[in-house]
Amino acid sequence: MLLSLSPRASAQEPAEPAQQLDDARRAYAEGRVAEARAMLHALLAIGPDLPRPVRLETLAYLGDILYSEQGKSAADTFFIALLDEDPDYRMDPLEHPDEVVRYFDSLRPVRKPLDVVVVKPPPPVRGPFPYLALAPGGLYYFVHGEPGAGLAVAGTQVALLVTNLVLYQQIRAIEGVPGGGAEEEEWRQLELATNLAAGALYVSLVVPPVVELGRWGSVAPAARVTLAPGGLSISGTF
């Protein structure tokens, strides 16, 4: 006697992963949490053959269940695995408790990769040595397109030179040192003014080279000579 099994009597083939996920969701929604957890673990056991969308949802629901049952540390394994695979994954607040959704989102800034761009500044480029800055009359500034500074330097130096020469001639016009009184006082004032004018002239000759050498020797300009009311203005970091 031969026995035959009808299709209904044969072993039922396992459902597709998507259907198994739906069954687990239904069990979760109906409060059969332990059953849902077992079904979700069974889905993950399929391994690499499990479709990616199903795996993402399975990780989300397992993390949700373990968060409610055992706390944050138990859920972290599944939430972090989910974010590693899809950093932009969003939990549906209609399917998961608000507390779980908020905690999952709090992990996102830590786990989401960041694009870090490191920009290296270009190496400083030093121009040619400012030889012309050693020349009087503001020649350096005229050549380098700064006529205002050139006029200020030249005008200051010329005015100091003329003042010094005029005062010196006045002193030479006086024969010897007056013996006293108002004439001696006037002579000494002329001598002091002549010396001050000479000193100021020397300073006006030295300052532009010093400033431009400082600018040339530093990455950024250390100082700058500009035209100001009444003479020269020097600004910068010294």
Side-chain angles (χ1 to χ4, degrees):
M1 181 177 180
L2 297 176
L3 296 177
S4 62
L5 297 176
S6 64
R8 291 188 178 183
S10 63
Q12 188 175 13
E13 294 184 1
E16 293 294 326
Q19 182 60 51
Q20 294 181 52
L21 176 62
D22 287 340
D23 293 341
R25 282 173 170 168
R26 188 177 305 106
Y28 173 81
E30 294 174 355
R32 294 178 282 121
V33 178
E35 183 180 347
R37 182 175 63 251
M39 296 170 69
L40 294 169
H41 276 298
L43 274 173
L44 287 182
I46 295 176
D49 294 333
L50 185 65
R52 182 172 182 270
V54 175
R55 182 170 58 256
L56 296 180
E57 291 299 318
T58 301
L59 290 170
Y61 274 93
L62 264 177
D64 181 342
I65 292 173
L66 291 175
Y67 179 95
S68 303
E69 290 182 340
Q70 303 177 33
K72 298 177 181 178
S73 59
D76 282 350
T77 301
F78 298 95
F79 286 160
I80 290 173
L82 174 55
L83 287 172
D84 282 342
E85 187 163 349
D86 185 0
D88 295 321
Y89 181 87
R90 299 288 174 180
M91 259 192 186
D92 190 344
L94 299 179
E95 298 184 9
H96 302 277
D98 291 340
E99 183 180 359
V100 174
V101 173
R102 285 195 301 269
Y103 178 69
F104 176 78
D105 287 338
S106 72
L107 298 175
R108 192 183 310 280
V110 178
R111 303 301 305 177
K112 188 172 183 179
L114 299 175
D115 293 329
V116 179
V117 179
V118 179
V119 179
K120 294 183 178 180
V125 179
R126 181 175 295 178
F129 187 84
Y131 293 101
L132 290 178
L134 302 174
L139 179 62
Y140 174 87
Y141 300 105
F142 288 113
V143 171
H144 287 79
E146 299 181 56
L151 289 173
V153 172
T156 301
Q157 292 177 356
V158 169
L160 290 173
L161 177 61
V162 171
T163 301
N164 180 257
L165 292 175
V166 170
L167 292 173
Y168 181 70
Q169 291 300 323
Q170 291 181 7
I171 289 179
R172 293 197 58 178
I174 300 175
E175 296 181 359
V177 179
E183 291 184 358
E184 182 179 357
E185 181 65 24
E186 181 182 358
W187 186 91
R188 296 199 179 279
Q189 289 180 358
L190 283 173
E191 182 184 38
L192 176 62
T194 303
N195 292 336
L196 290 176
L201 176 60
Y202 293 143
V203 171
S204 71
L205 292 171
V206 170
V207 166
V210 170
V211 169
E212 297 310 322
L213 286 175
R215 295 174 63 182
W216 175 79
S218 61
V219 176
R224 186 176 183 83
V225 178
T226 56
L227 181 62
L232 297 175
S233 172
I234 304 173
S235 59
T237 303
F238 300 91

